[in-house]
Amino acid sequence: GCTFSTPGPNNVITVVKSLASMSESSFSGGPIRSESSIVNIFDSEINSSGPGVPGMVAINSSSVNLVRVEIFGRMLFEKSTSAVLSGVTQTGIGMQPNEANIGSNVVVGSAGQPTGGPPNIDSNLAPFTLANFSNLVLNQASVIGGDLICRTGGNAHCANPANVTGLTNCGLCPKP
């Protein structure tokens, strides 16, 4: 693994029209930024420099795959980006919600243990906003800790709507 750091809020790493795969790494200071790229991060930590600084920014048809990642700071997925968040744990006191915007798609689920076998590691994310025809799928055991808000054609499908701890107005994620 590697350690990447910047004093922030500048990007700690930027990937443009490329493929980047990293594991057992630590990123601190500014966000990881992906533009028209594929980014795979496994068994790592992402720490932004503060509540107003995102931990992940992915735009322009990027593809992001985070597996067993701890992230401090919000995530932004924009302009037809696809993200798969498996076993992702997120904290960020006082931050703005995560956001998927302009035709982006996010799948939130569990990941197996790095050594294989049970138990699975479920994702636990901060609040999320979906806008401009973006979508989110929240699989069975994963949690959105706060509100899940859909705007301007955004929608979410929740296998268990009770796993959204706050409010939701998304049509396929009705609260019980």
PDB file of all heavy atoms in Angstrom, residues 109-125:
ATOM      1  N   GLY A 109     -23.672  -1.624  -1.464  1.00  0.00           N
ATOM      2  CA  GLY A 109     -23.861  -2.982  -0.989  1.00  0.00           C
ATOM      3  C   GLY A 109     -22.797  -3.425  -0.011  1.00  0.00           C
ATOM      4  O   GLY A 109     -22.060  -2.608   0.544  1.00  0.00           O
ATOM      5  N   SER A 110     -22.705  -4.714   0.171  1.00  0.00           N
ATOM      6  CA  SER A 110     -21.782  -5.319   1.125  1.00  0.00           C
ATOM      7  C   SER A 110     -20.556  -5.865   0.394  1.00  0.00           C
ATOM      8  O   SER A 110     -20.564  -6.031  -0.813  1.00  0.00           O
ATOM      9  CB  SER A 110     -22.478  -6.453   1.871  1.00  0.00           C
ATOM     10  OG  SER A 110     -23.643  -5.968   2.516  1.00  0.00           O
ATOM     11  N   ALA A 111     -19.530  -6.145   1.177  1.00  0.00           N
ATOM     12  CA  ALA A 111     -18.316  -6.769   0.646  1.00  0.00           C
ATOM     13  C   ALA A 111     -17.929  -7.914   1.572  1.00  0.00           C
ATOM     14  O   ALA A 111     -18.151  -7.849   2.780  1.00  0.00           O
ATOM     15  CB  ALA A 111     -17.175  -5.754   0.571  1.00  0.00           C
ATOM     16  N   GLY A 112     -17.338  -8.931   1.000  1.00  0.00           N
ATOM     17  CA  GLY A 112     -16.828 -10.020   1.809  1.00  0.00           C
ATOM     18  C   GLY A 112     -15.577  -9.595   2.559  1.00  0.00           C
ATOM     19  O   GLY A 112     -14.991  -8.540   2.300  1.00  0.00           O
ATOM     20  N   GLN A 113     -15.168 -10.402   3.492  1.00  0.00           N
ATOM     21  CA  GLN A 113     -13.939 -10.154   4.235  1.00  0.00           C
ATOM     22  C   GLN A 113     -12.740 -10.256   3.290  1.00  0.00           C
ATOM     23  O   GLN A 113     -12.780 -11.017   2.325  1.00  0.00           O
ATOM     24  CB  GLN A 113     -13.785 -11.178   5.360  1.00  0.00           C
ATOM     25  CG  GLN A 113     -14.848 -11.084   6.433  1.00  0.00           C
ATOM     26  CD  GLN A 113     -14.665  -9.862   7.309  1.00  0.00           C
ATOM     27  OE1 GLN A 113     -13.571  -9.341   7.463  1.00  0.00           O
ATOM     28  NE2 GLN A 113     -15.754  -9.388   7.887  1.00  0.00           N
ATOM     29  N   PRO A 114     -11.665  -9.501   3.547  1.00  0.00           N
ATOM     30  CA  PRO A 114     -10.490  -9.605   2.671  1.00  0.00           C
ATOM     31  C   PRO A 114      -9.923 -11.017   2.607  1.00  0.00           C
ATOM     32  O   PRO A 114      -9.357 -11.418   1.602  1.00  0.00           O
ATOM     33  CB  PRO A 114      -9.476  -8.656   3.302  1.00  0.00           C
ATOM     34  CG  PRO A 114     -10.184  -7.872   4.319  1.00  0.00           C
ATOM     35  CD  PRO A 114     -11.481  -8.551   4.614  1.00  0.00           C
ATOM     36  N   THR A 115     -10.102 -11.794   3.668  1.00  0.00           N
ATOM     37  CA  THR A 115      -9.586 -13.158   3.719  1.00  0.00           C
ATOM     38  C   THR A 115     -10.621 -14.180   3.271  1.00  0.00           C
ATOM     39  O   THR A 115     -10.364 -15.374   3.295  1.00  0.00           O
ATOM     40  CB  THR A 115      -9.157 -13.498   5.155  1.00  0.00           C
ATOM     41  OG1 THR A 115     -10.269 -13.302   6.030  1.00  0.00           O
ATOM     42  CG2 THR A 115      -7.988 -12.635   5.583  1.00  0.00           C
ATOM     43  N   GLY A 116     -11.810 -13.698   2.880  1.00  0.00           N
ATOM     44  CA  GLY A 116     -12.894 -14.591   2.497  1.00  0.00           C
ATOM     45  C   GLY A 116     -13.702 -15.004   3.706  1.00  0.00           C
ATOM     46  O   GLY A 116     -13.302 -14.815   4.844  1.00  0.00           O
ATOM     47  N   GLY A 117     -14.849 -15.579   3.463  1.00  0.00           N
ATOM     48  CA  GLY A 117     -15.691 -16.056   4.550  1.00  0.00           C
ATOM     49  C   GLY A 117     -16.530 -14.972   5.179  1.00  0.00           C
ATOM     50  O   GLY A 117     -16.358 -13.799   4.918  1.00  0.00           O
ATOM     51  N   PRO A 118     -17.458 -15.410   6.049  1.00  0.00           N
ATOM     52  CA  PRO A 118     -18.361 -14.460   6.700  1.00  0.00           C
ATOM     53  C   PRO A 118     -17.666 -13.758   7.857  1.00  0.00           C
ATOM     54  O   PRO A 118     -16.592 -14.204   8.276  1.00  0.00           O
ATOM     55  CB  PRO A 118     -19.505 -15.358   7.187  1.00  0.00           C
ATOM     56  CG  PRO A 118     -18.893 -16.712   7.335  1.00  0.00           C
ATOM     57  CD  PRO A 118     -17.761 -16.794   6.350  1.00  0.00           C
ATOM     58  N   PRO A 119     -18.229 -12.716   8.436  1.00  0.00           N
ATOM     59  CA  PRO A 119     -19.452 -12.053   7.965  1.00  0.00           C
ATOM     60  C   PRO A 119     -19.129 -11.007   6.905  1.00  0.00           C
ATOM     61  O   PRO A 119     -17.997 -10.518   6.831  1.00  0.00           O
ATOM     62  CB  PRO A 119     -19.975 -11.389   9.231  1.00  0.00           C
ATOM     63  CG  PRO A 119     -18.731 -11.007   9.978  1.00  0.00           C
ATOM     64  CD  PRO A 119     -17.744 -12.126   9.691  1.00  0.00           C
ATOM     65  N   ASN A 120     -20.121 -10.672   6.094  1.00  0.00           N
ATOM     66  CA  ASN A 120     -19.952  -9.601   5.121  1.00  0.00           C
ATOM     67  C   ASN A 120     -19.810  -8.259   5.836  1.00  0.00           C
ATOM     68  O   ASN A 120     -20.292  -8.078   6.955  1.00  0.00           O
ATOM     69  CB  ASN A 120     -21.145  -9.539   4.177  1.00  0.00           C
ATOM     70  CG  ASN A 120     -21.071 -10.595   3.100  1.00  0.00           C
ATOM     71  OD1 ASN A 120     -20.019 -11.166   2.834  1.00  0.00           O
ATOM     72  ND2 ASN A 120     -22.200 -10.864   2.475  1.00  0.00           N
ATOM     73  N   ILE A 121     -19.167  -7.325   5.176  1.00  0.00           N
ATOM     74  CA  ILE A 121     -19.045  -5.950   5.679  1.00  0.00           C
ATOM     75  C   ILE A 121     -20.063  -5.113   4.918  1.00  0.00           C
ATOM     76  O   ILE A 121     -19.989  -4.987   3.692  1.00  0.00           O
ATOM     77  CB  ILE A 121     -17.616  -5.412   5.445  1.00  0.00           C
ATOM     78  CG1 ILE A 121     -16.598  -6.297   6.153  1.00  0.00           C
ATOM     79  CG2 ILE A 121     -17.514  -3.961   5.901  1.00  0.00           C
ATOM     80  CD1 ILE A 121     -15.165  -6.046   5.742  1.00  0.00           C
ATOM     81  N   ASP A 122     -21.039  -4.564   5.643  1.00  0.00           N
ATOM     82  CA  ASP A 122     -22.097  -3.765   5.021  1.00  0.00           C
ATOM     83  C   ASP A 122     -21.656  -2.320   4.886  1.00  0.00           C
ATOM     84  O   ASP A 122     -20.871  -1.818   5.696  1.00  0.00           O
ATOM     85  CB  ASP A 122     -23.372  -3.838   5.862  1.00  0.00           C
ATOM     86  CG  ASP A 122     -23.851  -5.264   6.040  1.00  0.00           C
ATOM     87  OD1 ASP A 122     -23.808  -6.021   5.055  1.00  0.00           O
ATOM     88  OD2 ASP A 122     -24.253  -5.619   7.166  1.00  0.00           O
ATOM     89  N   SER A 123     -22.158  -1.639   3.861  1.00  0.00           N
ATOM     90  CA  SER A 123     -21.884  -0.209   3.716  1.00  0.00           C
ATOM     91  C   SER A 123     -22.735   0.579   4.702  1.00  0.00           C
ATOM     92  O   SER A 123     -23.872   0.221   4.999  1.00  0.00           O
ATOM     93  CB  SER A 123     -22.194   0.259   2.289  1.00  0.00           C
ATOM     94  OG  SER A 123     -21.247  -0.240   1.382  1.00  0.00           O
ATOM     95  N   ASN A 124     -22.152   1.663   5.210  1.00  0.00           N
ATOM     96  CA  ASN A 124     -22.856   2.577   6.107  1.00  0.00           C
ATOM     97  C   ASN A 124     -22.463   3.989   5.687  1.00  0.00           C
ATOM     98  O   ASN A 124     -21.352   4.432   5.968  1.00  0.00           O
ATOM     99  CB  ASN A 124     -22.481   2.294   7.554  1.00  0.00           C
ATOM    100  CG  ASN A 124     -23.397   3.000   8.519  1.00  0.00           C
ATOM    101  OD1 ASN A 124     -24.010   4.002   8.187  1.00  0.00           O
ATOM    102  ND2 ASN A 124     -23.470   2.484   9.732  1.00  0.00           N
ATOM    103  N   LEU A 125     -23.376   4.671   4.982  1.00  0.00           N
ATOM    104  CA  LEU A 125     -23.063   5.957   4.373  1.00  0.00           C
ATOM    105  C   LEU A 125     -23.825   7.095   5.027  1.00  0.00           C
ATOM    106  O   LEU A 125     -24.869   6.900   5.633  1.00  0.00           O
ATOM    107  CB  LEU A 125     -23.401   5.928   2.880  1.00  0.00           C
ATOM    108  CG  LEU A 125     -22.728   4.837   2.051  1.00  0.00           C
ATOM    109  CD1 LEU A 125     -23.174   4.942   0.601  1.00  0.00           C
ATOM    110  CD2 LEU A 125     -21.224   4.928   2.157  1.00  0.00           C
TER     111      LEU A 125
END
